[in-house]
Amino acid sequence: AKEGMLLKNGDTIETGAKSQAIYVIGKDAFFQRDNTTVNFASGAAADVMRVLTGKILSVFGKGQRTIQTSTATIGIRGTGCYIEDEPALPRSKPVGAGDTPLKPTKSSRTYFCLCYGTVELTPTAMPQQKETYSTKHHDHPLYIHDDPTMATCMVAAPVSNHSDIELALLESLVGRQPPFPSEYWRTY
């Protein structure tokens, strides 16, 4: 990829170690961190973004979009959000006779911060725990686990690894400002 390269729905963007990418697709802007793979669907599903692995800060214009991670389907509307997706990893060594083949070493986990806006969040492991909520300034960050044995797969988390300055940068790329004043900007 080169600076100025055209990105569009249907593309997959992958960053390697010690790399990052900032890009715009339509009215949406993204700050993709290292070791991250994101796919943007095309055609009838053009409003779908798949975070396959990694970390991404996103701001979205008006309209509905869907984000798919390893642990949840996230419906958003005019939103800023930060995601760190950690898919389950298969065992790194051969499985013994009593073990289940390809048993994961851990379940998948996604960190999700709705920085501002409205979301309908449906955990894959427990769709009956679907939540719809709005935030104004990082009010309800969560870890979403893909473990149906947990009492709840959505657990409160601290705000981390993204900043209001980064959100302001992304919004400026699409001619907008974050919905909170600059005196509230923080780094987490």
Side-chain angles (χ1 to χ4, degrees), residues 151-162:
T152 178
C153 58
M154 294 187 288
V155 180
V159 180
S160 63
N161 298 336
H162 62 293

Side-chain angles (χ1 to χ4, degrees), residues 57-143:
L57 181 65
S58 309
V59 297
F60 297 91
K62 294 186 189 277
Q64 293 189 306
R65 309 281 194 297
T66 301
I67 302 171
Q68 294 177 335
T69 71
S70 64
T71 64
T73 298
I74 304 165
I76 56 170
R77 295 177 277 297
T79 298
C81 66
Y82 180 69
I83 294 171
E84 289 188 11
D85 198 57
E86 304 169 11
L89 302 173
R91 289 184 185 237
S92 58
K93 57 184 177 182
V95 193
D99 291 330
T100 305
L102 298 177
K103 183 177 178 184
T105 56
K106 64 175 185 164
S107 64
S108 297
R109 180 177 86 163
T110 303
Y111 171 82
F112 177 72
C113 179
L114 179 63
C115 305
Y116 46 84
T118 301
V119 68
E120 180 180 272
L121 195 151
T122 306
T124 305
M126 296 181 197
Q128 69 276 15
Q129 291 183 357
K130 175 171 66 172
E131 284 188 27
T132 300
Y133 60 94
S134 296
T135 69
K136 294 184 187 245
H137 194 231
H138 313 283
D139 304 322
H140 189 57
L142 296 167
Y143 289 118

